[in-house]
Amino acid sequence: MVSKSETIVCPARTVRGSVRLPGDKSISHRYAMLAAIANGSSRLENYSTGADCASTLRCLKSVGVFAERADGAQSVIIRGLGPSLAAPSEPLDCGNSGSTMRMLSGIVAAQKFKSEMVGDASLSRRPMERVIKPLTGMGAKIESHGGKPPLRITGAGLKAIDYKMPVASAQVKSCLLFAGLLADGETRIEEPVRTRDHGELALRAFGAEVARNGSEVRIRGGQRLRGIEACVPGDLSSAAFFLCAAALFPRSHLLIDGLLMNPTRARLLDILMQMGLEISVTQLDEVHGEMVGTIQVDGGRLKGATIAGADTAVLIDEIPVLAAIAPYTEQGIEVRDATELRIKESDRIAAIAANLRLMGANVEENEDGLKIPGQQNLRGAVLESFGDHRIAMAFAVAALRAEGESLIRGAEAAAVSYPAFFSTLEGLVER
Ligand code: S3P
């Protein structure tokens, strides 16, 4: 059991230095899951160090897959079992990880065994109807606790589905692509707005054909995967905390290499540039279909922004930190169309509003977002992580420009995606 920790964050003068991020969480999950159902071994370098991606490895081990860290934990070796996994003798423990439960359910639903997927208190409150409904439509039997975990899945030979997703969710899209790969026939998924495409790219990297036409993705069942050697690009959603920290100070300077630059994830860079941060891309490569680059970042002005519609969906993980720095901007930040934020690891709209108010900010909280005026001076305060990694890290960033020190309760939540966050941040700030 992780002990509850408090972390003190003192105000900073600026942020300067070089940083390389641990592997992207979204890609790590997908590579590990596909490696498990591939033929042959995979070596995944720079696999995410976060507890969520460790949950995926733990679940894969429970279904008979060899999945172990190597090279001083820098890499993960996975020996694929092909499409048929082994019946688990224990529940699959997804911990705090919604990605593990939602995406892996697409694979276990296609197996010849029964399995149970469980999660921690936060995950047990999150909606799973979004995967239960289509997987049931494909032939699996799934019992849940009123649409929430635990999930008791009776696997079956699945049949393909033609499915129009009611919510924009890359996790659901990947779940159905993975189930579709193991199903009979061609699965067709239509998304309401374009979400991150790591599932599609990862499937192709492992040798499957995936077709896209506008908002529709298709996959033919029965294709075999083969193991890969890959280096997971640095997590852009983790980099967001350092980028927003840099945005707070006109003299800041950061160099980030090996960073994921996938266009379906990189909207944050556009928004921060529109707000006044100078970002130049000094190198750009494509590896297994994913764009990876080096960026150089210089602080400047910090104008405001409005995040709404399709932007909200693609910036969903970066909104907490953008909102946390909003009071320091010139025009403020407004977030709309973000009801999904209320059903993440915490109710992130309420968590952001509560912490900003504790720092003395004026905030308007709406059902689907927040309106945070700019040009506010905040004071250091005792802040809450609400057990949510992104809230803990977002408010460590906000605390850098407050007057007086802040204490973040439950700061250990950061380890869900980025265990070294606080020490890395300390190494970059100048006081
Ligand atoms: C993720 C998709 C998003 C995001 C989550 C990771 C993914 O969730 O919030 O952190 O890897 O597909 P939704 O699919 O629920 O929007």
Side-chain angles (χ1 to χ4, degrees), residues 83-288:
S84 298
L85 302 173
S89 56
E90 61 208 358
L92 306 182
D93 181 1
C94 304
N96 191 244
S97 177
S99 301
T100 305
M101 190 172 287
R102 293 196 180 125
M103 297 197 278
L104 195 57
S105 65
I107 293 177
V108 297
Q111 304 297 321
K112 291 195 190 79
F113 51 71
K114 287 188 181 180
S115 54
E116 185 178 14
M117 303 189 93
V118 300
D120 69 5
S122 147
L123 182 52
S124 300
R125 287 191 292 269
R126 297 183 64 189
M128 293 296 147
E129 202 49 54
R130 51 187 67 192
V131 291
I132 296 173
K133 191 167 171 251
L135 290 176
T136 304
M138 294 176 86
K141 278 203 195 71
I142 306 183
E143 287 169 46
S144 67
H145 193 77
K148 300 197 169 141
L151 303 184
R152 286 193 195 87
I153 304 182
T154 307
L158 301 182
K159 52 184 186 319
I161 193 170
D162 192 337
Y163 192 65
K164 197 168 172 171
M165 296 193 333
V167 268
S169 166
Q171 292 173 352
V172 176
K173 177 176 57 171
S174 288
C175 164
L176 299 181
L177 283 172
F178 296 174
L181 175 79
L182 302 173
D184 248 354
E186 189 181 64
T187 288
R188 190 184 147 271
I189 306 153
E190 198 180 318
E191 38 181 0
V193 299
R194 185 90 189 258
T195 62
R196 62 189 77 188
D197 62 358
H198 306 302
E200 296 91 304
L201 298 180
L203 278 158
R204 288 191 192 125
F206 280 82
E209 274 175 34
V210 182
R212 171 171 284 279
N213 186 4
S215 59
E216 166 195 301
V217 225
R218 280 178 289 121
I219 187 161
R220 201 170 13 87
Q223 302 182 65
R224 288 301 187 113
L225 306 183
R226 49 173 158 65
I228 61 168
E229 302 247 323
C231 179
V232 182
D235 195 316
L236 184 54
S237 301
S238 298
F241 300 103
F242 304 132
L243 293 169
C244 286
L248 292 177
F249 304 102
R251 285 183 45 256
S252 61
H253 177 80
L254 286 179
L255 184 79
I256 309 184
D257 69 349
L259 185 65
L260 176 68
M261 300 284 285
N262 177 315
T264 64
R265 289 285 292 287
R267 184 78 182 116
L268 174 75
L269 303 180
D270 304 331
I271 295 276
L272 286 174
M273 286 198 285
Q274 282 164 22
M275 289 170 71
L277 193 67
E278 282 178 31
I279 303 180
S280 38
V281 180
T282 58
Q283 199 194 328
L284 196 59
D285 296 304
E286 192 187 319
V287 189
H288 287 306

Side-chain angles (χ1 to χ4, degrees), residues 47-83:
Y47 186 83
S48 165
T49 50
D52 268 10
C53 294
S55 292
T56 286
L57 298 182
R58 184 172 58 233
C59 290
L60 294 177
K61 288 185 205 172
S62 299
V63 286
V65 178
F66 175 95
E68 296 294 341
R69 304 248 177 202
D71 306 335
Q74 287 293 303
S75 308
V76 165
I77 307 285
I78 297 182
R79 289 197 206 121
L81 292 180

